[in-house]
mmCIF file of all heavy atoms in Angstrom:
data_model
loop_
_atom_site.group_PDB
_atom_site.id
_atom_site.type_symbol
_atom_site.label_atom_id
_atom_site.label_comp_id
_atom_site.label_asym_id
_atom_site.label_seq_id
_atom_site.Cartn_x
_atom_site.Cartn_y
_atom_site.Cartn_z
ATOM 1 N N ILE W 192 7.662 50.235 47.124
ATOM 2 C CA ILE W 192 8.120 49.798 48.450
ATOM 3 C C ILE W 192 8.638 48.370 48.321
ATOM 4 O O ILE W 192 7.930 47.481 47.856
ATOM 5 C CB ILE W 192 6.986 49.862 49.485
ATOM 6 C CG1 ILE W 192 6.492 51.313 49.647
ATOM 7 C CG2 ILE W 192 7.458 49.304 50.832
ATOM 8 C CD1 ILE W 192 5.266 51.450 50.534
ATOM 9 N N GLU W 193 9.878 48.179 48.727
ATOM 10 C CA GLU W 193 10.504 46.863 48.633
ATOM 11 C C GLU W 193 9.781 45.848 49.509
ATOM 12 O O GLU W 193 9.400 46.167 50.648
ATOM 13 C CB GLU W 193 11.957 47.013 49.111
ATOM 14 C CG GLU W 193 12.909 46.012 48.531
ATOM 15 C CD GLU W 193 14.317 46.243 49.080
ATOM 16 O OE1 GLU W 193 14.698 47.417 49.301
ATOM 17 O OE2 GLU W 193 15.008 45.244 49.299
ATOM 18 N N LEU W 194 9.623 44.640 49.006
ATOM 19 C CA LEU W 194 9.043 43.580 49.821
ATOM 20 C C LEU W 194 10.050 43.133 50.881
ATOM 21 O O LEU W 194 11.259 43.292 50.712
ATOM 22 C CB LEU W 194 8.656 42.376 48.945
ATOM 23 C CG LEU W 194 7.247 42.390 48.347
ATOM 24 C CD1 LEU W 194 6.971 43.627 47.525
ATOM 25 C CD2 LEU W 194 6.992 41.135 47.520
ATOM 26 N N GLY W 195 9.550 42.567 51.960
ATOM 27 C CA GLY W 195 10.443 42.009 52.976
ATOM 28 C C GLY W 195 10.970 43.028 53.968
ATOM 29 O O GLY W 195 11.923 42.752 54.696
ATOM 30 N N LYS W 196 10.356 44.226 54.000
ATOM 31 C CA LYS W 196 10.795 45.256 54.948
ATOM 32 C C LYS W 196 9.625 45.652 55.843
ATOM 33 O O LYS W 196 8.621 46.198 55.365
ATOM 34 C CB LYS W 196 11.274 46.521 54.208
ATOM 35 C CG LYS W 196 12.386 46.259 53.214
ATOM 36 C CD LYS W 196 13.740 46.214 53.882
ATOM 37 C CE LYS W 196 14.838 46.037 52.846
ATOM 38 N NZ LYS W 196 15.852 45.060 53.244
ATOM 39 N N ALA W 197 9.772 45.401 57.129
ATOM 40 C CA ALA W 197 8.761 45.849 58.076
ATOM 41 C C ALA W 197 8.893 47.357 58.268
ATOM 42 O O ALA W 197 9.909 47.953 57.910
ATOM 43 C CB ALA W 197 8.934 45.125 59.406
ATOM 44 N N ASP W 198 7.871 47.958 58.829
ATOM 45 C CA ASP W 198 7.864 49.408 59.000
ATOM 46 C C ASP W 198 7.471 49.741 60.442
ATOM 47 O O ASP W 198 6.459 49.240 60.945
ATOM 48 C CB ASP W 198 6.835 50.005 58.028
ATOM 49 C CG ASP W 198 6.858 51.525 58.039
ATOM 50 O OD1 ASP W 198 7.956 52.099 58.133
ATOM 51 O OD2 ASP W 198 5.765 52.114 57.967
ATOM 52 N N VAL W 199 8.291 50.561 61.087
ATOM 53 C CA VAL W 199 7.936 50.985 62.441
ATOM 54 C C VAL W 199 6.890 52.089 62.308
ATOM 55 O O VAL W 199 7.200 53.202 61.898
ATOM 56 C CB VAL W 199 9.176 51.479 63.209
ATOM 57 C CG1 VAL W 199 8.778 51.938 64.613
ATOM 58 C CG2 VAL W 199 10.227 50.375 63.274
ATOM 59 N N LYS W 200 5.673 51.786 62.635
ATOM 60 C CA LYS W 200 4.584 52.745 62.438
ATOM 61 C C LYS W 200 4.470 53.703 63.615
ATOM 62 O O LYS W 200 3.860 54.762 63.504
ATOM 63 C CB LYS W 200 3.248 52.006 62.249
ATOM 64 C CG LYS W 200 3.088 51.321 60.881
ATOM 65 C CD LYS W 200 2.745 52.313 59.766
ATOM 66 C CE LYS W 200 2.257 51.651 58.485
ATOM 67 N NZ LYS W 200 3.265 50.970 57.689
ATOM 68 N N ARG W 201 5.018 53.318 64.750
ATOM 69 C CA ARG W 201 4.976 54.198 65.914
ATOM 70 C C ARG W 201 6.196 53.893 66.786
ATOM 71 O O ARG W 201 6.469 52.731 67.090
ATOM 72 C CB ARG W 201 3.681 53.926 66.706
ATOM 73 C CG ARG W 201 3.515 54.786 67.927
ATOM 74 C CD ARG W 201 2.266 54.375 68.712
ATOM 75 N NE ARG W 201 2.206 55.117 69.960
ATOM 76 C CZ ARG W 201 1.247 55.993 70.247
ATOM 77 N NH1 ARG W 201 0.242 56.181 69.432
ATOM 78 N NH2 ARG W 201 1.279 56.645 71.399
ATOM 79 N N LYS W 202 6.911 54.918 67.138
ATOM 80 C CA LYS W 202 8.111 54.751 67.964
ATOM 81 C C LYS W 202 7.722 54.606 69.432
ATOM 82 O O LYS W 202 6.750 55.223 69.885
ATOM 83 C CB LYS W 202 9.023 55.972 67.828
ATOM 84 C CG LYS W 202 9.699 56.069 66.464
ATOM 85 C CD LYS W 202 11.022 55.320 66.499
ATOM 86 C CE LYS W 202 11.751 55.441 65.160
ATOM 87 N NZ LYS W 202 12.780 54.395 65.041
ATOM 88 N N GLY W 203 8.469 53.794 70.156
ATOM 89 C CA GLY W 203 8.196 53.634 71.582
ATOM 90 C C GLY W 203 9.368 52.999 72.285
ATOM 91 O O GLY W 203 10.319 52.553 71.642
ATOM 92 N N THR W 204 9.287 52.899 73.599
ATOM 93 C CA THR W 204 10.447 52.435 74.362
ATOM 94 C C THR W 204 10.138 51.314 75.351
ATOM 95 O O THR W 204 11.040 50.619 75.806
ATOM 96 C CB THR W 204 11.048 53.608 75.181
ATOM 97 O OG1 THR W 204 9.991 54.214 75.947
ATOM 98 C CG2 THR W 204 11.674 54.646 74.268
ATOM 99 N N ASP W 205 8.861 51.117 75.697
ATOM 100 C CA ASP W 205 8.550 50.185 76.789
ATOM 101 C C ASP W 205 8.190 48.771 76.327
ATOM 102 O O ASP W 205 8.415 47.803 77.044
ATOM 103 C CB ASP W 205 7.372 50.723 77.620
ATOM 104 C CG ASP W 205 7.717 52.050 78.274
ATOM 105 O OD1 ASP W 205 8.921 52.269 78.555
ATOM 106 O OD2 ASP W 205 6.801 52.868 78.491
ATOM 107 N N VAL W 206 7.566 48.666 75.186
ATOM 108 C CA VAL W 206 7.115 47.365 74.704
ATOM 109 C C VAL W 206 7.017 47.423 73.175
ATOM 110 O O VAL W 206 6.751 48.489 72.608
ATOM 111 C CB VAL W 206 5.745 46.988 75.318
ATOM 112 C CG1 VAL W 206 4.662 47.977 74.916
ATOM 113 C CG2 VAL W 206 5.307 45.566 74.939
ATOM 114 N N THR W 207 7.259 46.287 72.519
ATOM 115 C CA THR W 207 7.111 46.208 71.060
ATOM 116 C C THR W 207 5.827 45.446 70.745
ATOM 117 O O THR W 207 5.619 44.346 71.269
ATOM 118 C CB THR W 207 8.310 45.464 70.434
ATOM 119 O OG1 THR W 207 9.514 46.171 70.769
ATOM 120 C CG2 THR W 207 8.162 45.375 68.913
ATOM 121 N N ILE W 208 5.002 46.051 69.924
ATOM 122 C CA ILE W 208 3.808 45.343 69.440
ATOM 123 C C ILE W 208 3.993 45.142 67.935
ATOM 124 O O ILE W 208 4.212 46.096 67.196
ATOM 125 C CB ILE W 208 2.510 46.143 69.694
ATOM 126 C CG1 ILE W 208 2.364 46.483 71.183
ATOM 127 C CG2 ILE W 208 1.301 45.343 69.218
ATOM 128 C CD1 ILE W 208 1.147 47.360 71.508
ATOM 129 N N VAL W 209 3.898 43.873 67.502
ATOM 130 C CA VAL W 209 4.027 43.547 66.070
ATOM 131 C C VAL W 209 2.669 43.109 65.547
ATOM 132 O O VAL W 209 1.965 42.335 66.204
ATOM 133 C CB VAL W 209 5.055 42.425 65.851
ATOM 134 C CG1 VAL W 209 5.025 41.934 64.406
ATOM 135 C CG2 VAL W 209 6.457 42.904 66.211
ATOM 136 N N SER W 210 2.312 43.629 64.370
ATOM 137 C CA SER W 210 1.062 43.216 63.759
ATOM 138 C C SER W 210 1.142 43.407 62.251
ATOM 139 O O SER W 210 2.206 43.744 61.710
ATOM 140 C CB SER W 210 -0.111 44.005 64.352
ATOM 141 O OG SER W 210 -1.338 43.429 63.955
ATOM 142 N N PHE W 211 0.020 43.196 61.562
ATOM 143 C CA PHE W 211 -0.045 43.405 60.107
ATOM 144 C C PHE W 211 -1.500 43.406 59.685
ATOM 145 O O PHE W 211 -2.383 42.998 60.429
ATOM 146 C CB PHE W 211 0.749 42.330 59.354
ATOM 147 C CG PHE W 211 0.375 40.909 59.690
ATOM 148 C CD1 PHE W 211 -0.553 40.216 58.932
ATOM 149 C CD2 PHE W 211 0.947 40.269 60.787
ATOM 150 C CE1 PHE W 211 -0.900 38.894 59.242
ATOM 151 C CE2 PHE W 211 0.601 38.954 61.103
ATOM 152 C CZ PHE W 211 -0.317 38.278 60.339
ATOM 153 N N ASN W 212 -1.704 43.883 58.450
ATOM 154 C CA ASN W 212 -3.049 43.973 57.876
ATOM 155 C C ASN W 212 -3.961 44.744 58.839
ATOM 156 O O ASN W 212 -3.504 45.632 59.550
ATOM 157 C CB ASN W 212 -3.576 42.577 57.523
ATOM 158 C CG ASN W 212 -4.671 42.605 56.459
ATOM 159 O OD1 ASN W 212 -5.794 42.979 56.746
ATOM 160 N ND2 ASN W 212 -4.349 42.240 55.233
#
Side-chain angles (χ1 to χ4, degrees):
Chain W
I192 298 173
E193 207 180 324
L194 271 56
K196 303 277 184 224
D198 186 39
V199 179
K200 286 283 194 287
R201 181 185 174 115
K202 289 271 182 198
T204 52
D205 298 331
V206 62
T207 301
I208 304 176
V209 171
S210 191
F211 54 94
N212 203 286

